[in-house]
Amino acid sequence: MSIKRRGMFEPYLKSFYIRSTDPTQIKILKLEVLTNLANETNISTILREFQTYIRSMDKDFVAATIQAIGRCATNIGKVRDTCLNGLVQLLSNRDELVVAESVVVIKKLLQMQPSQHSEIIKHMAKLTDNIQ
């Protein structure tokens, strides 16, 4: 419904921000709605919100947030480089799940435009011994 009737939900974007008391399934549904409502006008606000979600203790939710960042980068080309750089920074995270999910999303994004991101590919190649 958030895809087909986007205009109906856009004024209430902040209602879909995740609270720490939300159950994981609700968090993931809200993430999906936020991703569906993302556009060039509100994407910077949504990505800032996603940055706070990555610090959550709920690992399934963190993984879903990283995937949501990837979907936003895929759908809104204007923020693709910003998202890629943010995901590359997550490669130095201590949590293996965060790193693994980031690698998967980065790989998908790089496959869209491999020639434009040779620096990121080189950086990831240097990290291959450290990433599990």
Side-chain angles (χ1 to χ4, degrees):
M1 195 162 182
S2 63
I3 295 170
K4 291 184 179 181
R5 305 220 181 227
R6 185 180 241 163
M8 188 169 89
F9 292 98
E10 284 175 346
Y12 305 102
L13 187 70
K14 290 186 179 182
S15 300
F16 296 102
Y17 284 3
I18 287 119
R19 296 182 186 93
S20 58
T21 56
D22 288 338
T24 301
Q25 193 57 35
I26 298 299
K27 290 178 183 177
I28 291 171
L29 287 171
K30 284 183 173 182
L31 260 181
E32 191 174 329
V33 171
L34 286 171
T35 305
N36 292 341
L37 297 178
N39 59 38
E40 289 193 5
T41 308
N42 63 20
I43 189 62
S44 58
T45 306
I46 290 174
L47 288 175
R48 267 195 307 276
E49 189 69 16
F50 286 178
Q51 282 178 326
T52 63
Y53 299 164
I54 289 172
R55 294 187 213 113
S56 171
M57 300 307 283
D58 183 342
K59 298 306 170 193
D60 291 333
F61 171 56
V62 171
T65 301
I66 293 169
Q67 292 168 11
I69 292 169
R71 285 193 305 277
C72 288
T74 301
N75 297 337
I76 305 170
K78 172 182 146 184
V79 296
R80 190 169 296 137
D81 289 342
T82 305
C83 292
L84 259 172
N85 290 330
L87 291 167
V88 167
Q89 289 176 354
L90 290 178
L91 295 177
S92 59
N93 194 295
R94 294 175 196 254
D95 189 324
E96 287 181 20
L97 177 75
V98 171
V99 173
E101 204 62 51
S102 298
V103 167
V104 170
V105 174
I106 290 169
K107 178 183 152 225
K108 288 178 187 173
L109 293 175
L110 290 178
Q111 287 174 335
M112 295 173 73
Q113 300 171 309
S115 60
Q116 292 182 3
H117 301 290
S118 59
E119 289 303 313
I120 292 175
I121 294 170
K122 289 176 191 172
H123 178 71
M124 288 182 71
K126 290 177 187 173
L127 293 173
T128 53
D129 292 336
N130 301 332
I131 295 176
Q132 294 182 4

